């Protein structure tokens, strides 16, 4: 009763007097709640009071949960079916509880996963579900946390934060605590603290957690609790470069010191996750690891204390000789014929109905005559005389339910008589039965075309709507024959079944062929071993179609004229005592059962006071070889010894489909001592040696013997893997058997047959023992004293993790011992291993009870982790709970393990709860790299490179040359003058055509029209703006010609235009703050816009997200009067500022760069030369015109070069997908520019419509170059699929290419008309992580294909530099791309110039080589490679390859990762992942995946994403977030905004479907 007292002490002494109303809080407890909690705790210990049903809070167990019981009224309900009692052991349960108790002191909180409410359809959200969101709003909740601290302490019902820190009272701690310690490192013992103070400290920690700085998990911190860490991890959330820190977050959330928004549940959970991840297990060595695949894996050093076998080599064990009895029949058919003739009235088989009453008895006479009829019918009546359907030796499937044994017996013996080969299989229940594919494969490979079944069974098979029997998955075409007596033909008097022994009889579902002679010998051996006598009675509870049920209950019984009483599984479910009653009624001498039947009978025995089992001379336990059978045998004996059961009659046996019966215990003499048991150390077993357990009783395994080897057999123990070497006497190995009574082969599989049925054991020296062939049994065990055989497991349940062997059954037993009753449905647990990153990883899948709460499940999962870690010293990789009854079943209702594993790996398991622990069980990751200090001087590197024959990695575009064009640009170095000149010399030349979604030109602009519109805007600016020269003016326009006119209007007026993307009317809350921020940062004096946009800026909706009263002057330019300004402004020098280019980078940085007049005209000239642009040309542009090269093409290039631009706003494309492609075809465009988002829209939306487009006459053969404008690594897969898809429309595969620009230089590369095609190379991803480039062949493992980013523009020079030493690098070396060109930006637009940043990015020098040249740093990593192709000048072409942005790279484990590479792997992991993004937070890798499928697939993604990142990138994912499609923010260029995503995640604004914290 101590436990109850303890729990009661945790209840408050009385409900506390609280103020009248404080707002409901999950921590408060009412009077009623107090009574209920108290009653629930005391209920098991008080006598039942019938008058007050509320006092005992126990509902009667549902019939489903209570298992097969017909329990009588008042007594305690059995837990019969509530857990799987194959594995029940009280000692083991105590051991598990003891192991868990050890963990109680170790305080470690696990973060519970976060679920969206709709995601668990499965269980009713009941009052014990941990609150995911506090009942009040988030803000109140966080304020009230401190207020309720004292209250929370007093209660045992907890508030949300307290759920997670439950381990004050229970042991929901992380297995990493112990598993980190269990790997032989120096053990830092955790101090158990006094309870109350630790509880308070804990809750305080949990409330303060959000304000503390996240610890750095990779470095060793002396004290985890200390908060003197000065690091501040500020996420650069759209922070303008050069803006003072204080004002950075206009209209952003209030954040704490570490940049985490205040009310963030997520940060609390990540903090807890970090607390569970102990520091790295080993000190990292200061060395690079090599790139060879053998070197990837960290090989654990062998532990010198590992136990090794020390015994002598085993000597084969011989069974007793097989006696020869004169009256044994020469074959089974002969035995049946003999009894059918001489003992026709003798009962052969009694079948029971569902209630357990005898249904009918089949005599030997009837069995013989019916089998004979069936044999005659099969051979003579199924076809014509000349073309029989069956010939002797053909294989026939027998499909009979367990409840109809008589029909099965008749069919089996009928087949033997007809000389056809019976293949018994299970009745298929549905088209999608688990394992039906394998059965189908077996039937197909055995050439089975005929199935025998009974009329009732045939009616029950699934049918098609036409009434035909359904074609089962993977099955060959079958002909179904009903074998009921009325359909059989009596043979003529003189018909004799053909009885010779040359044809083989082949059987069981395994496809193991058993010859007739083996079958007969096996029956003789069983008769001798079990001492069967003629006329005995046998009760069989097993499946009579296979294994022991078939061998004893159908074959040996007929040979000895035994009366068999079969008790089908259905009867056992309804009445578990039925078999015991049958033994009592019929005075049966032998019973054939499994542990489960012993357990069920024991649980139900109170109904039967008068049963007597003294007649039993042999109780054969078919699964007695399972180590977990011991406790069932003991408990059964305990209960039934008083009913006459003798201890010596319990006979466990071992069998396997290949060797049939391997060993069986013979019944002992009355009163003789029972055989001893082995108590083995699980640690020793995991190393394959036998050690008596002495030190730790928690990890012991008790094993009983399975008797002696079968008569006439020879047995050895050999090593389970590798050559069959004989084991030593104290070593566990696989049992191999030589006997005439075993299988001969796997049907149709000669290769596997040789390895299994034709094994010759070898000694230590490798010499074979002789010529005798042995068969592998698949059983693992050893030979004990007195030649007794002990079995400790099966080969198929063996999990080899890091060189140690664990048995799946042992793990199931441990998991079941962790109070599963609240969580696991009927004890249904599957254990298997999956191979991830060069080792096996253990996965446990269990069915969750429908009424289990989230908290219970999570609690159970975390305790299973600890229990398995303590007892088996092995880490679990994954623990999943699936809804009840959803795991694939075997025919008798067990779990189909291989199909479950398949579902897990394919993402079809649909768990409702999942926990992954890769951090604790993946111990073979490569060592983290530690970067070497750069100790070598720059000069020596330079010399070293030259000596090695490597050229410096640099490349340049062709010369810009001297200006010799039509006086245009010689006279006019300003773009504003170029437009005036064009308006005078060629006024009617059309510069711009704007198309709408229908492809209609809604607006055109000739040179003079554009000039006049610009003048109107200039007048308006001068009159209404009150502006000074050089003021900044924001242009807020949709893509179109108004934007271009406004730009030139600003140049005419001498003010600086700033183009800004207008806010999205449907999404003002998200888009307006960015507009506001650019306006504030650029200190704009005025806004030019259209009337609709002006209304939006001043609307009530806008006021909700920004302050609308403080906008600068807004001028709408829609209906301006026709006025000419007095004069147009001309800048005094070309170095004056022309415009500002603002853009939000993918890392969330808002940066504005300054473009001077000279940079603008040089850039336009460079593009004109590269693309050969002149007045007669037409180009099509489908881009966003607000920044970068997109803006240059849209607004500047045409005015400079005079070519006509056809403008297609990308948003029109969303209304009409084919718009861009049909425009190219209609206008016969040769050059077009687009963005990745446009290309993706076309690829996804039009991929299936190419035929329709062709029919509409779309022809793209005119397109010479289609350039994607981007500031990222070329997306090769997208450009290639675009080329392939539209090849049918005439698109040349050479047409598609990319451009590359950055903030410091808007256009570095652009694939023009001249120059070779872009080249592609393959680089090794492992080297890239080390900042090296290793070129490999196409298709090499771990290779990444990179495409050249286009030809370098005229006037541009590029060099690759080491970002740390700032020295130039050699050809094909990875470094930062530095650029020098007359059109580079002149600097960041800053308020208080951060000169250091300015100089560093725009005017920086090499540390050696060319110290005087000024370079601009792009912030991108890449390399230059000299190709075999020739450039336009005739020299070899230098290709520039961009790898990724330096700011975006993730530094993990000392290596550099590019997010796009990890995202590519993640998107391949599961068919339902639409898009993904990764980022890091406090050294944890967070993966966000968009789920395109149904929500029940959300949890399937977690293990698959973790697996693929571990396999391909050698990284452990810390957090997996599953969200709806479209949640990952993407900018106008189609680039993912990972930092925005990160901030939204930390601020808890993603509304995720599921968040999993991998431990």
């Amino acid at each position: 009763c101590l436990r109850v007292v303890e729990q009661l002490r945790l209840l408050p002494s009385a409900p506390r007097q609280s103020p009248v109303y404080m707002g409901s809080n999950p921590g408060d407890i009412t009077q009623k709640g107090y009574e209920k909690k108290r009653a629930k705790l005391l209920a098991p210990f008080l006598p039942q009071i019938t008058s007050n049903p509320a006092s005992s809070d126990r509902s009667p167990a549902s019939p489903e949960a209570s298992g097969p019981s017909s329990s009588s009224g008042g007594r305690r309900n059995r837990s019969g079916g509530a857990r799987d009692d194959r594995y029940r052991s009280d000692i083991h349960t105590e051991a598990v509880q003891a192991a868990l108790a050890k963990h109680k002191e170790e305080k470690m909180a696990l973060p519970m996963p976060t679920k969206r409410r709709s995601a668990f359809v499965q269980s009713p959200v009941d009052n014990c579900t941990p609150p995911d969101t506090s009942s009040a709003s988030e803000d109140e909740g966080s304020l009230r946390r401190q207020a309720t601290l004292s209250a929370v302490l007093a209660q045992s019902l907890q508030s949300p934060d307290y759920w997670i820190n439950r381990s004050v009272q229970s042991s929901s701690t992380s297995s990493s605590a112990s598993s980190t310690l269990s790997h032989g490192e120096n053990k830092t013992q955790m101090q158990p603290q006094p309870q109350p103070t630790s509880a308070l400290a804990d809750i305080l920690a949990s409330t303060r957690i959000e304000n503390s700085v996240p610890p750095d998990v990779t470095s060793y911190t002396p004290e985890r609790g200390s908060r003197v860490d000065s690091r501040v991890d500020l996420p650069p959330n759209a922070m303008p470069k050069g803006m003072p820190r204080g004002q950075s977050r206009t209209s952003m959330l209030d954040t704490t010191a570490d940049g985490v928004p205040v009310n963030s549940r997520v940060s609390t959970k990540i903090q807890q996750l970090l607390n569970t991840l102990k520091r790295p297990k080993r000190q990292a060595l200061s060395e690079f690891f090599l790139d060879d695949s053998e070197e990837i894996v960290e090989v654990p050093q062998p532990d010198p204390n590992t136990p090794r076998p020390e015994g002598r080599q085993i000597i084969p064990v011989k069974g007793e000789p097989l006696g020869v009895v004169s009256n044994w029949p020469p074959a089974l058919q002969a035995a049946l014929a003999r009894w059918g003739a001489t003992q026709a009235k003798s009962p052969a088989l009694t079948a029971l109905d569902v209630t357990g009453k005898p249904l009918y008895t089949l005599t030997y006479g009837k069995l013989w005559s019916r089998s004979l009829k069936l044999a005659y019918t099969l051979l003579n009546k199924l076809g014509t005389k000349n073309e029989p359907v069956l010939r002797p030796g053909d294989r026939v499937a027998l499909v009979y339910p367990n409840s109809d044994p008589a029909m099965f017996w008749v069919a089996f013996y009928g087949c033997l008589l007809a000389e056809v080969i019976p293949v018994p299989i299970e009745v298929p229940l549905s088209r999608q039965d688990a394992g039906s594919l394998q059965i189908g494969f077996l039937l197909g490979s055995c050439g089975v075309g005929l199935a025998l079944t009974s009329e009732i069974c045939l009616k029950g098979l699934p049918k098609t709507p036409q009434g035909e029997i359904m074609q089962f998955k993977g099955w060959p075409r079958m002909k179904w024959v009903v074998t009921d007596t009325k359909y059989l033909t009596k043979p003529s008097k003189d018909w004799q079944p053909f009885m010779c022994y040359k044809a083989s009889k082949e059987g069981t579902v395994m496809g193991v062929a058993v010859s007739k002679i083996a079958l007969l010998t096996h029956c003789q051996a069983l008769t001798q071993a079990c001492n069967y006598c003629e006329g005995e009675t046998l009760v069989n509870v097993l499946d009579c179609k296979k294994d022991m049920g078939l061998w004893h209950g159908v074959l040996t019984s007929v040979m000895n004229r035994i009366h068999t009483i079969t008790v089908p599984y259905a009867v056992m479910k309804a009445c578990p005592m039925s078999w015991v009653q049958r033994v009592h009624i019929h005075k049966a001498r032998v019973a054939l059962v499994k542990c489960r039947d012993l357990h069920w009978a024991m649980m139900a025995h109170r109904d039967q006071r008068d049963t007597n089992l003294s007649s039993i001379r042999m109780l054969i336990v078919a699964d007695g070889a399972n180590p977990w059978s011991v406790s069932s045998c003991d408990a059964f004996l305990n209960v039934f010894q008083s009913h006459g059961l003798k201890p010596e009659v319990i006979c466990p046996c071992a069998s396997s489909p290949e060797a049939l019966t391997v060993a069986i215990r013979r019944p002992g003499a009355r009163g003789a001592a029972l055989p001893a048991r082995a108590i083995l150390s699980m640690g020793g077993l995991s190393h394959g040696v036998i050690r008596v357990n002495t030190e730790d009783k928690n990890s012991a395994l008790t094993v009983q013997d399975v008797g002696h080897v079968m008569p006439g057999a020879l047995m050895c123990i050999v090593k389970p893997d590798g050559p069959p070497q004989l084991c030593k006497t104290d070593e566990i190995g696989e049992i191999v058997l030589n006997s005439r009574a075993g299988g001969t082969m796997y049907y149709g599989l000669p290769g596997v047959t040789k390895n299994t049925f034709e094994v010759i054991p070898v000694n230590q020296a490798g010499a074979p023992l002789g010529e005798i062939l042995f068969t592998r049994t698949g059983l693992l065990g050893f030979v004990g004293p007195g030649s007794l055989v002990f079995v400790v497991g099966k080969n198929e349940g063996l999990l080899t993790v890091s060189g140690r062997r664990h048995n799946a059954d042992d793990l199931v037993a441990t998991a079941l011992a962790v109070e599963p009753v609240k969580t696991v449905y009927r004890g249904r647990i599957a254990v298997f291993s999956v191979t991830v990153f060069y080792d096996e990883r253990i996965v446990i899948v269990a069915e969750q009870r429908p009424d289990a709460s989230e908290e219970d499940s999570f609690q159970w999962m975390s305790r299973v982790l600890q229990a398995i870690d303590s007892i088996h010293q092995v880490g679990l990789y994954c623990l999943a709970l699936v809804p009840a009854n959803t795991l694939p079943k075997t025919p008798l209702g067990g779990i189909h393990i291989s199909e479950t594993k398949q579902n897990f790996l394919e993402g079809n398991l649909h768990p409702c709860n999942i926990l992954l622990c890769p951090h604790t069980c993946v111990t073979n990751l490569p060592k983290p790299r530690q970067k070497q200090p750069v100790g070598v001087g720059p000069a020596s590197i330079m010399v070293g490179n030259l000596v090695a024959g490597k050229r410096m990695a640099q490349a340049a575009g062709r010369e810009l040359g001297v200006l010799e064009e039509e006086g245009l640009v010689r006279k006019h170095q300003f773009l504003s003058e170029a437009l005036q000149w064009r308006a005078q010399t060629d006024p009617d030349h059309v510069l711009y055509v704007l198309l709408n979604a229908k492809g209609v030109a809604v607006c055109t602009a000739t040179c003079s029209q554009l000039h006049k519109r610009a003048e109107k805007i200039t007048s308006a600016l001068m009159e209404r703006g009150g502006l000074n020269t050089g003021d900044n003016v924001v242009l807020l326009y949709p893509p179109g010609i108004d934007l271009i006119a406004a730009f030139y209007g600003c140049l005419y007026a001498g003010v600086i235009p700033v183009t800004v993307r207008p806010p999205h009317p449907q999404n003002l809350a998200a888009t307006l703050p960015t507009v506001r921020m650019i306006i504030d940062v650029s200190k704009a004096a005025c806004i030019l816009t259209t009337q609709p946009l002006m209304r939006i800026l001043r609307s009530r909706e806008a006021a909700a997200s920004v302050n609308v009263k403080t906008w600068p002057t807004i001028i709408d330019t829609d209906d301006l009067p026709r006025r000419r300004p007095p004069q147009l402004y001309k800048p005094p020098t070309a170095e004056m500022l022309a415009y500002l280019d603002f853009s939000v980078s993918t890392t969330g940085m808002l940066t504005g760069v300054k473009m001077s007049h000279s940079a603008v005209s040089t850039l336009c000239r460079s593009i004109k030369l590269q693309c050969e642009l002149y007045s007669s040309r037409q180009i099509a542009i489908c881009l966003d015109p607000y920044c970068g090269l997109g803006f240059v093409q849209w607004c500047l290039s045409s005015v400079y070069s005079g070519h006509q631009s056809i403008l297609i706003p990308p948003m029109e494309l969303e209304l009409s997908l084919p718009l861009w492609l049909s425009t190219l075809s209609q206008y016969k465009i040769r050059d077009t520019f687009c963005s990745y988002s446009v290309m993706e829209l076309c690829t996804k939306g039009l991929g299936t419509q190419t035929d329709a487009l062709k029919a509409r006459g779309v022809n793209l053969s005119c397109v010479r170059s289609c350039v994607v404008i981007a500031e990222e690594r070329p997306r090769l897969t997208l450009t290639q699929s675009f080329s392939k898809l539209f090849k049918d429309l005439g698109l040349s595969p050479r047409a598609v290419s990319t451009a590359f620009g950055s903030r410091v230089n808007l256009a570095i590369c652009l694939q023009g008309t001249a120059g070779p095609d872009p080249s592609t190379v393959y680089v090794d991803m492992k080297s890239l992580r080390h900042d090296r480039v290793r070129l490999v062949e196409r298709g090499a493992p771990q290779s990444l294909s990179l495409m050249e980013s286009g030809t370098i523009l005229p006037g541009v020079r590029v060099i690759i530099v080491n970002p740390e030493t700032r020295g130039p690098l050699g050809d094909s070396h990875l470094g930062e791309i530095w650029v020098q060109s007359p059109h580079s930006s002149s600097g960041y637009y800053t308020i208080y110039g951060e000169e250091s940043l300015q100089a560093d990015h725009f005017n920086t020098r090499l540390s050696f080589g060319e110290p005087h040249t000024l370079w601009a740093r792009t912030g991108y990593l890449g390399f230059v490679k000299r190709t075999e192709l020739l450039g336009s000048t005739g020299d070899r072409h230098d290709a520039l390859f961009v790898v990724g942005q330096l700011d975006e790279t993730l530094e993990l484990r000392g290596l550099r990762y590019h997010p796009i590479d990890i995202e590519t792997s993640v998107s391949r992991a599961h068919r339902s992942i639409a898009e993904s993004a990764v980022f890091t937070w406090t050294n944890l890798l967070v993966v966000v995946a968009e789920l395109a499928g149904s929500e029940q697939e959300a949890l399937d993604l977690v293990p698959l994403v973790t697996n693929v990142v571990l396999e391909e990138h050698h990284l452990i994912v810390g957090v997996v977030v599953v969200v709806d499609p479209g949640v990952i923010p993407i900018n106008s260029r189609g680039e993912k905004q990972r930092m925005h995503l990160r901030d939204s995640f930390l601020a808890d604004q993603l509304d995720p479907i599921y968040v999993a914290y991998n431990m």
Side-chain angles (χ1 to χ4, degrees), residues 322 516-526 739-741:
L322 188 56
K516 284 191 178 166
I517 193 80
L519 204 60
L520 187 65
T521 314
H522 187 230
C523 290
Q524 291 167 353
L526 283 179
S739 158
R740 288 194 311 159

Side-chain angles (χ1 to χ4, degrees), residues 779-794:
L779 300 173
L780 301 171
F782 61 96
V783 178
S787 296
L788 288 173
V789 181
F790 289 85
V791 175
V792 295
K794 292 186 174 172

Side-chain angles (χ1 to χ4, degrees), residues 603-624:
M603 298 305 281
H605 90 284
R606 296 177 197 193
D607 302 344
Q608 306 291 331
R609 294 271 172 257
D610 54 347
T611 42
N612 183 346
L613 300 183
S614 57
S615 62
I616 288 197
R617 66 174 183 81
M618 204 169 180
L619 178 62
I620 300 174
V621 185
D623 56 354

Side-chain angles (χ1 to χ4, degrees), residues 11-18 28-36 38 154-155:
L11 282 170
S13 49
R16 74 201 150 76
Q17 298 302 313
S18 57
D28 297 349
I29 184 168
T30 57
Q31 174 75 40
K32 189 175 172 190
Y34 169 78
E35 299 284 8
K36 193 171 178 186
R38 183 171 177 277
Q155 272 105 38

Side-chain angles (χ1 to χ4, degrees), residues 1041-1322:
I1041 294 174
D1042 287 346
L1043 173 71
I1044 305 169
F1047 176 81
Y1048 288 102
C1050 289
L1051 293 191
Y1052 285 175
V1055 293
I1056 312 297
V1058 183
T1059 49
V1060 179
R1061 162 193 302 282
H1064 197 292
Q1066 271 79 51
N1067 193 4
L1068 285 181
T1071 52
L1072 198 57
T1074 311
V1075 175
R1076 177 85 227 194
M1077 196 188 300
I1078 297 176
I1079 289 171
D1080 291 347
V1081 170
S1082 66
K1083 286 276 189 276
C1086 167
I1087 301 175
L1088 291 179
T1089 187
T1090 61
Q1091 272 172 5
L1093 280 168
M1094 185 160 94
R1095 278 189 221 108
I1096 287 176
L1097 289 183
R1098 294 190 167 140
S1099 67
R1100 192 175 298 159
E1101 291 82 3
S1105 41
V1106 298
N1107 182 354
V1108 295
K1109 297 200 172 76
T1110 57
W1111 290 123
T1113 316
I1114 301 179
I1115 300 176
D1116 100 67
T1117 57
D1118 281 358
D1119 302 311
L1120 291 177
R1122 266 202 152 156
R1123 291 227 179 101
R1124 291 187 64 177
Q1127 89 271 358
L1128 300 183
Y1129 173 81
K1130 179 178 178 180
T1133 72
E1135 300 313 313
M1136 295 282 288
L1137 206 51
Y1139 74 96
L1140 292 181
D1141 187 305
F1142 271 92
S1143 156
V1144 178
S1145 76
T1146 51
T1147 51
M1149 285 281 196
L1150 173 68
T1151 42
V1153 292
K1154 302 187 284 198
M1155 289 294 288
S1156 68
H1157 285 283
S1158 70
V1160 168
S1161 49
T1162 323
L1163 174 55
C1164 290
R1165 179 144 189 275
S1166 189
I1167 294 173
K1168 175 183 166 79
L1169 285 176
Q1170 189 83 326
C1171 301
E1172 298 177 2
L1173 302 173
Y1174 26 85
S1175 305
S1176 57
R1177 297 285 301 281
Q1178 264 186 331
I1179 65 169
I1181 301 171
C1182 190
L1183 283 168
D1184 266 329
Y1186 299 108
C1187 60
L1189 200 47
F1191 169 76
V1192 172
Q1193 290 290 16
W1194 191 281
C1195 293
L1196 313 181
S1197 205
S1198 270
V1199 170
Y1200 184 92
S1201 306
H1203 60 269
Q1204 182 180 331
S1205 294
I1206 294 169
L1207 307 176
I1208 306 165
M1211 54 197 190
E1212 301 290 345
L1213 214 59
E1214 289 170 20
L1215 304 174
S1216 162
L1217 278 175
L1219 172 63
W1220 175 47
L1221 297 181
S1222 49
T1223 305
L1224 297 180
S1225 168
Q1226 181 188 338
Y1227 288 87
K1228 304 256 185 300
I1229 301 288
R1230 288 176 67 184
D1231 301 277
T1232 178
F1233 296 88
C1234 70
S1235 64
Y1236 278 125
S1237 6
V1238 166
M1239 196 166 263
E1240 199 160 18
L1241 266 177
C1242 293
T1243 309
K1244 286 182 178 166
L1246 299 175
T1248 51
Q1249 301 175 25
T1250 45
D1251 293 339
L1253 289 173
K1254 208 169 184 176
R1256 282 170 49 187
V1258 175
N1259 181 359
L1260 302 180
S1261 54
C1262 52
V1263 178
R1264 181 177 60 170
S1265 75
C1266 165
V1267 181
V1268 188
I1269 304 292
E1271 295 187 9
E1272 58 177 308
R1273 174 201 298 178
R1275 299 190 203 171
L1276 194 55
T1277 38
L1278 178 58
T1279 51
Q1280 282 177 343
S1281 46
F1282 180 81
S1283 300
K1284 279 181 192 152
L1285 274 175
F1286 300 110
K1287 188 176 73 182
D1288 293 348
L1289 300 181
L1291 182 67
S1292 154
R1294 299 172 52 181
V1296 182
S1297 63
T1298 60
F1300 170 64
S1302 70
R1303 293 282 74 207
V1304 297
N1305 189 314
L1306 302 184
I1308 297 169
C1309 302
L1310 180 65
Q1311 189 67 31
T1313 46
D1317 290 344
S1319 45
T1320 303
V1321 294
Y1322 296 86

Side-chain angles (χ1 to χ4, degrees), residues 523-544:
C523 290
Q524 291 167 353
L526 283 179
T527 304
Q528 181 174 328
C530 302
N531 202 5
Y532 281 126
C533 309
E534 206 176 301
E536 283 189 311
T537 306
L538 175 146
V539 171
N540 175 23
V541 191
L542 306 182
D543 181 359
C544 62

Side-chain angles (χ1 to χ4, degrees), residues 287 470 492 519 717 753 1018 1048 1100 1314 1328 1364 1487 1542:
E287 59 186 52
M470 194 173 276
S492 53
L519 204 60
I717 311 281
T753 296
T1018 308
Y1048 288 102
R1100 192 175 298 159
L1328 269 189
E1364 277 139 26
V1487 175
R1542 175 181 188 268

